Amino acid sequence: MNQNQWLPGEIFNEHNINASLTGFYLFFCQPLRHCSRNAVGVQTASDASINGDREEHDLCNWDELKFSLIPTDYMYVMKCSSGEGAFSQGHLTRYGNVELSPSSGVLNYGQGLLEGLKAYRGDDNRIRLFRPEQNALRMQMGAERMCMPSPTAEQFVGSIKQTALANKRWVPPPGKGSLYIRPLLLGTGAILGVAPSPEYTFLAYASPVGNYFTGSMHFSVEDKVYRAIPGGTGGIKSITNYSPIYKAVTQAKAKGFTDVIFLDAATGKNIEEATACNIFVAKGNVISTPPIAGTILPGITRKTIIEVASWLGYQIEERAIPLEELMNADEAFCTGTAIAIKPVGSVTYQGQRVEYKTGEGTLSETLFRTLTGIQTGRIEDTMGWIVEID
């Protein structure tokens, strides 16, 4: 059997999350994987129900944790019909498949948003969320753009707290990773014409994760495919933003690069961001990053690093950055929930490769230690960014 092939599907049943819509038969194309009891990724929600009393350190090998899906115990669900205008009281349910109509808005027209945030276990064993209200506000902004109702900030943060608390045994030990929480806002109502969905589902699930990338990042510059266009959805976390750039990223990775830096579609001269992270350029005491102007995602880590770097005495500039300026920088680094802060080791454009300072003593290392120190409780939070859930 090939590594990737179509596997027989199943009829969704009452044990799945029911979106009050007709189920349909699916075939899944996925790699076949073999797991052993102590390998990362083997424990599922059904395993957890059998071994409910297992200690956190027995769940998997935390030292080998990657940024890949490990099903946990619970997810959070709440719904909204278009006529209601507000989301109903949500609830926790066992992690499992979601039933959708084949004519749902998200499947046919991509009416959906995603978010991403993490729960961290500190040295004191307390579990902390980092600025979850910012994710709530960003989802509301995206929902307005996509003609969708959105949970209130209170509902959003409450759902994240409950999801993290219900899966707290999956929060890795200090220094071993974090619990990544993925909220989704989906048009799940049945619709045939091009129009907003008549029903919406908010869902949040979680997975323990390690580093998204290891070491520094090595970029190629993409000058033929654009991630976002003026007036498009580049400034929100629409689910439609990602798959159109898979080809460019896959081709870059096949050549040994970590990721791709995309240029602006208007001029093709200025850097914007990578696949799923914002970029910063440092020269002397000045740190520059592209401005939020509709084509760049307003990253929460980006926002935090601008504030932290300002505290540390750096001059911060949000402005258009020509590619040539990146190629002549002292240092470059990327920010995002998944990667936190990662140094850029090199950038290659049209055969020209430029390398940057990385490692101890660099700006990115200082900012990384400061950010993660606040997130895990090693550095006092004086800004009210931390939400403790237990």
Side-chain angles (χ1 to χ4, degrees):
M1 185 175 288
N2 294 332
Q3 177 73 7
N4 292 285
Q5 74 175 56
W6 290 98
L7 302 178
E10 62 178 353
I11 297 290
F12 290 114
N13 55 45
E14 68 273 13
H15 298 295
N16 303 136
I17 300 304
N18 195 325
S20 300
L21 303 169
T22 304
F24 60 101
Y25 195 85
L26 289 180
F27 281 81
F28 299 95
C29 180
Q30 60 186 23
L32 299 178
R33 296 176 180 172
H34 302 279
C35 301
S36 59
R37 169 59 63 179
N38 262 338
V40 173
V42 304
Q43 176 109 357
T44 66
S46 58
D47 295 326
S49 63
I50 296 172
N51 302 292
D53 296 329
R54 296 180 68 190
E55 296 294 331
E56 284 86 347
H57 63 265
D58 291 330
L59 290 175
C60 59
N61 187 341
W62 300 117
D63 291 324
E64 296 181 7
L65 197 59
K66 309 296 183 184
F67 197 94
S68 57
L69 180 65
I70 300 176
T72 54
D73 300 331
Y74 294 96
M75 59 186 185
Y76 188 95
V77 180
M78 58 181 163
K79 296 182 180 296
C80 175
S81 295
S82 57
E84 298 173 350
F87 276 84
S88 60
Q89 180 67 35
H91 63 278
L92 289 165
T93 186
R94 300 298 293 187
Y95 178 90
N97 292 336
V98 179
E99 184 175 297
L100 292 172
S101 166
S103 60
S104 62
V106 65
L107 291 182
N108 287 261
Y109 303 115
Q111 193 185 23
L113 297 167
L114 59 86
E115 276 295 330
L117 63 163
K118 290 178 176 179
Y120 306 87
R121 190 183 297 275
D123 293 333
D124 56 6
N125 207 39
R126 294 185 178 183
I127 300 174
R128 297 169 171 85
L129 302 172
F130 185 71
R131 308 189 78 172
E133 77 289 343
Q134 293 294 315
N135 295 90
L137 295 175
R138 189 167 64 182
M139 177 168 277
Q140 290 175 355
M141 180 181 70
E144 192 279 331
R145 173 66 175 82
M146 300 284 281
C147 293
M148 307 170 75
S150 180
T152 65
E154 182 179 12
Q155 285 177 315
F156 182 98
V157 175
S159 73
I160 302 307
K161 286 181 178 180
Q162 291 191 53
T163 303
L165 190 60
N167 295 296
K168 68 177 183 177
R169 69 199 191 106
W170 292 96
V171 183
K176 302 295 185 180
S178 57
L179 183 71
Y180 187 89
I181 303 172
R182 168 55 57 79
L184 299 169
L185 181 59
L186 308 173
T188 48
I191 187 89
L192 187 60
V194 181
S197 172
E199 181 179 282
Y200 298 88
T201 299
F202 172 89
L203 186 151
Y205 67 92
S207 173
V209 297
N211 292 327
Y212 195 85
F213 295 117
T214 57
S216 56
M217 303 178 74
H218 299 274
F219 286 102
S220 66
V221 177
E222 175 57 56
D223 59 3
K224 295 180 176 62
V225 174
Y226 298 100
R227 176 191 168 273
I229 60 173
T233 59
I236 63 172
K237 283 189 76 70
S238 168
I239 64 172
T240 57
N241 287 350
Y242 298 89
S243 58
I245 60 175
Y246 285 172
K247 185 175 182 179
V249 175
T250 299
Q251 291 174 340
K253 289 184 176 181
K255 297 176 182 178
F257 296 105
T258 310
D259 201 351
V260 169
I261 292 177
F262 293 93
L263 304 177
D264 72 299
T267 70
K269 297 179 179 179
N270 301 317
I271 63 171
E272 289 210 322
E273 60 178 298
T275 301
C277 52
N278 299 112
I279 188 165
F280 287 77
V281 174
K283 187 77 171 180
N285 196 53
V286 179
I287 303 174
S288 304
T289 192
I292 302 300
T295 57
I296 295 175
L297 187 71
I300 295 162
T301 309
R302 173 190 181 277
K303 176 183 176 72
T304 302
I305 289 306
I306 288 174
E307 296 176 72
V308 170
S310 180
W311 300 343
L312 296 177
Y314 290 91
Q315 179 183 337
I316 309 298
E317 297 180 349
E318 296 183 71
R319 58 177 176 81
I321 302 175
L323 176 59
E324 292 78 11
E325 190 171 327
L326 170 64
M327 303 296 280
N328 289 287
D330 294 334
E331 189 177 340
F333 58 90
C334 291
T335 64
T337 298
I339 66 170
I341 301 174
K342 279 290 181 183
V344 176
S346 69
V347 171
T348 300
Y349 178 59
Q350 294 184 347
Q352 179 186 358
R353 177 185 170 99
V354 176
E355 298 187 352
Y356 305 93
K357 295 183 295 185
T358 62
E360 292 293 331
T362 59
L363 171 61
S364 61
E365 179 69 15
T366 299
L367 292 172
F368 174 80
R369 292 185 182 278
T370 303
L371 174 67
T372 56
I374 296 171
Q375 290 172 333
T376 58
R378 294 192 303 272
I379 295 177
E380 181 183 2
D381 170 31
T382 61
M383 297 299 294
W385 289 343
I386 296 299
V387 175
E388 293 190 4
I389 65 167
D390 58 342

